[in-house]
PDB file of all heavy atoms in Angstrom:
ATOM      1  N   ALA A 188       3.547-205.386-170.863  1.00  0.00           N
ATOM      2  CA  ALA A 188       4.449-204.926-171.919  1.00  0.00           C
ATOM      3  C   ALA A 188       3.699-204.562-173.149  1.00  0.00           C
ATOM      4  O   ALA A 188       2.874-205.403-173.660  1.00  0.00           O
ATOM      5  CB  ALA A 188       5.478-205.974-172.254  1.00  0.00           C
ATOM      6  N   ALA A 189       3.889-203.430-173.654  1.00  0.00           N
ATOM      7  CA  ALA A 189       3.287-203.124-175.052  1.00  0.00           C
ATOM      8  C   ALA A 189       4.088-203.671-176.114  1.00  0.00           C
ATOM      9  O   ALA A 189       5.313-203.483-176.339  1.00  0.00           O
ATOM     10  CB  ALA A 189       3.262-201.544-175.237  1.00  0.00           C
ATOM     11  N   ALA A 190       3.529-204.627-176.785  1.00  0.00           N
ATOM     12  CA  ALA A 190       4.149-205.563-177.786  1.00  0.00           C
ATOM     13  C   ALA A 190       4.114-204.941-179.188  1.00  0.00           C
ATOM     14  O   ALA A 190       3.121-204.439-179.631  1.00  0.00           O
ATOM     15  CB  ALA A 190       3.553-206.986-177.665  1.00  0.00           C
ATOM     16  N   HIS A 191       5.245-205.308-179.904  1.00  0.00           N
ATOM     17  CA  HIS A 191       5.407-204.768-181.298  1.00  0.00           C
ATOM     18  C   HIS A 191       4.677-205.949-182.261  1.00  0.00           C
ATOM     19  O   HIS A 191       4.438-207.042-181.844  1.00  0.00           O
ATOM     20  CB  HIS A 191       6.813-204.753-181.742  1.00  0.00           C
ATOM     21  CG  HIS A 191       7.580-205.902-181.860  1.00  0.00           C
ATOM     22  ND1 HIS A 191       8.185-206.632-180.722  1.00  0.00           N
ATOM     23  CD2 HIS A 191       7.916-206.680-182.896  1.00  0.00           C
ATOM     24  CE1 HIS A 191       8.722-207.675-181.134  1.00  0.00           C
ATOM     25  NE2 HIS A 191       8.672-207.769-182.492  1.00  0.00           N
ATOM     26  N   VAL A 192       4.426-205.564-183.427  1.00  0.00           N
ATOM     27  CA  VAL A 192       3.976-206.430-184.418  1.00  0.00           C
ATOM     28  C   VAL A 192       5.156-206.868-185.338  1.00  0.00           C
ATOM     29  O   VAL A 192       6.068-206.134-185.606  1.00  0.00           O
ATOM     30  CB  VAL A 192       2.776-205.965-185.237  1.00  0.00           C
ATOM     31  CG1 VAL A 192       1.517-205.823-184.459  1.00  0.00           C
ATOM     32  CG2 VAL A 192       3.014-204.727-186.013  1.00  0.00           C
ATOM     33  N   VAL A 193       4.934-208.077-185.930  1.00  0.00           N
ATOM     34  CA  VAL A 193       6.100-208.583-186.803  1.00  0.00           C
ATOM     35  C   VAL A 193       5.511-208.445-188.226  1.00  0.00           C
ATOM     36  O   VAL A 193       4.381-209.061-188.516  1.00  0.00           O
ATOM     37  CB  VAL A 193       6.451-210.074-186.544  1.00  0.00           C
ATOM     38  CG1 VAL A 193       7.574-210.468-187.442  1.00  0.00           C
ATOM     39  CG2 VAL A 193       6.912-210.101-185.044  1.00  0.00           C
ATOM     40  N   ALA A 194       6.106-207.710-189.005  1.00  0.00           N
ATOM     41  CA  ALA A 194       5.753-207.580-190.480  1.00  0.00           C
ATOM     42  C   ALA A 194       5.900-208.781-191.232  1.00  0.00           C
ATOM     43  O   ALA A 194       6.731-209.674-190.924  1.00  0.00           O
ATOM     44  CB  ALA A 194       6.388-206.393-191.175  1.00  0.00           C
ATOM     45  N   ASP A 195       5.256-208.846-192.350  1.00  0.00           N
ATOM     46  CA  ASP A 195       5.431-210.031-193.305  1.00  0.00           C
ATOM     47  C   ASP A 195       6.379-209.415-194.431  1.00  0.00           C
ATOM     48  O   ASP A 195       5.895-208.646-195.279  1.00  0.00           O
ATOM     49  CB  ASP A 195       4.083-210.495-193.898  1.00  0.00           C
ATOM     50  CG  ASP A 195       4.246-211.708-194.877  1.00  0.00           C
ATOM     51  OD1 ASP A 195       5.465-212.005-195.257  1.00  0.00           O
ATOM     52  OD2 ASP A 195       3.284-212.263-195.352  1.00  0.00           O
ATOM     53  N   PRO A 196       7.621-209.919-194.391  1.00  0.00           N
ATOM     54  CA  PRO A 196       8.491-209.126-195.453  1.00  0.00           C
ATOM     55  C   PRO A 196       8.317-209.673-196.944  1.00  0.00           C
ATOM     56  O   PRO A 196       8.870-209.049-197.753  1.00  0.00           O
ATOM     57  CB  PRO A 196       9.904-209.599-194.955  1.00  0.00           C
ATOM     58  CG  PRO A 196       9.681-210.907-194.316  1.00  0.00           C
ATOM     59  CD  PRO A 196       8.355-210.710-193.587  1.00  0.00           C
ATOM     60  N   ARG A 197       7.543-210.629-197.025  1.00  0.00           N
ATOM     61  CA  ARG A 197       7.336-211.272-198.372  1.00  0.00           C
ATOM     62  C   ARG A 197       6.089-210.589-199.047  1.00  0.00           C
ATOM     63  O   ARG A 197       5.811-210.797-200.188  1.00  0.00           O
ATOM     64  CB  ARG A 197       7.086-212.758-198.306  1.00  0.00           C
ATOM     65  CG  ARG A 197       8.252-213.477-197.776  1.00  0.00           C
ATOM     66  CD  ARG A 197       7.990-214.889-197.355  1.00  0.00           C
ATOM     67  NE  ARG A 197       7.201-214.847-196.097  1.00  0.00           N
ATOM     68  CZ  ARG A 197       7.814-214.783-194.839  1.00  0.00           C
ATOM     69  NH1 ARG A 197       9.110-214.600-194.766  1.00  0.00           N
ATOM     70  NH2 ARG A 197       6.985-214.716-193.854  1.00  0.00           N
ATOM     71  N   ALA A 198       5.260-209.794-198.284  1.00  0.00           N
ATOM     72  CA  ALA A 198       4.093-209.300-198.830  1.00  0.00           C
ATOM     73  C   ALA A 198       4.487-208.108-199.778  1.00  0.00           C
ATOM     74  O   ALA A 198       5.228-207.243-199.491  1.00  0.00           O
ATOM     75  CB  ALA A 198       3.146-208.686-197.766  1.00  0.00           C
ATOM     76  N   ASP A 199       3.678-208.011-200.912  1.00  0.00           N
ATOM     77  CA  ASP A 199       4.031-206.894-201.803  1.00  0.00           C
ATOM     78  C   ASP A 199       2.979-205.729-201.461  1.00  0.00           C
ATOM     79  O   ASP A 199       1.972-205.620-201.980  1.00  0.00           O
ATOM     80  CB  ASP A 199       3.565-207.534-203.249  1.00  0.00           C
ATOM     81  CG  ASP A 199       3.974-206.413-204.379  1.00  0.00           C
ATOM     82  OD1 ASP A 199       4.547-205.388-204.107  1.00  0.00           O
ATOM     83  OD2 ASP A 199       3.426-206.723-205.523  1.00  0.00           O
ATOM     84  N   VAL A 200       3.477-204.976-200.612  1.00  0.00           N
ATOM     85  CA  VAL A 200       2.629-203.867-200.092  1.00  0.00           C
ATOM     86  C   VAL A 200       3.480-202.447-200.156  1.00  0.00           C
ATOM     87  O   VAL A 200       4.760-202.711-200.059  1.00  0.00           O
ATOM     88  CB  VAL A 200       2.123-204.097-198.603  1.00  0.00           C
ATOM     89  CG1 VAL A 200       1.198-205.231-198.631  1.00  0.00           C
ATOM     90  CG2 VAL A 200       3.246-204.358-197.621  1.00  0.00           C
ATOM     91  N   SER A 201       2.873-201.421-200.119  1.00  0.00           N
ATOM     92  CA  SER A 201       3.529-200.162-200.110  1.00  0.00           C
ATOM     93  C   SER A 201       3.628-199.552-198.771  1.00  0.00           C
ATOM     94  O   SER A 201       2.700-200.048-197.793  1.00  0.00           O
ATOM     95  CB  SER A 201       2.807-199.169-201.102  1.00  0.00           C
ATOM     96  OG  SER A 201       1.533-198.833-200.577  1.00  0.00           O
ATOM     97  N   PRO A 202       4.423-198.723-198.373  1.00  0.00           N
ATOM     98  CA  PRO A 202       4.551-198.172-196.999  1.00  0.00           C
ATOM     99  C   PRO A 202       3.311-197.505-196.481  1.00  0.00           C
ATOM    100  O   PRO A 202       3.092-197.483-195.356  1.00  0.00           O
ATOM    101  CB  PRO A 202       5.769-197.191-197.004  1.00  0.00           C
ATOM    102  CG  PRO A 202       6.549-197.757-198.259  1.00  0.00           C
ATOM    103  CD  PRO A 202       5.556-198.249-199.198  1.00  0.00           C
ATOM    104  N   ASP A 203       2.538-196.962-197.541  1.00  0.00           N
ATOM    105  CA  ASP A 203       1.263-196.327-197.087  1.00  0.00           C
ATOM    106  C   ASP A 203      -0.018-197.032-197.201  1.00  0.00           C
ATOM    107  O   ASP A 203      -1.082-196.622-197.050  1.00  0.00           O
ATOM    108  CB  ASP A 203       1.043-194.988-197.745  1.00  0.00           C
ATOM    109  CG  ASP A 203       1.051-195.067-199.233  1.00  0.00           C
ATOM    110  OD1 ASP A 203       1.301-196.225-199.736  1.00  0.00           O
ATOM    111  OD2 ASP A 203       0.785-194.088-199.917  1.00  0.00           O
TER     112      ASP A 203
END
Side-chain angles (χ1 to χ4, degrees):
H191 73 281
V192 295
V193 183
D195 181 354
R197 295 163 291 278
D199 185 11
V200 294
S201 64
D203 58 352

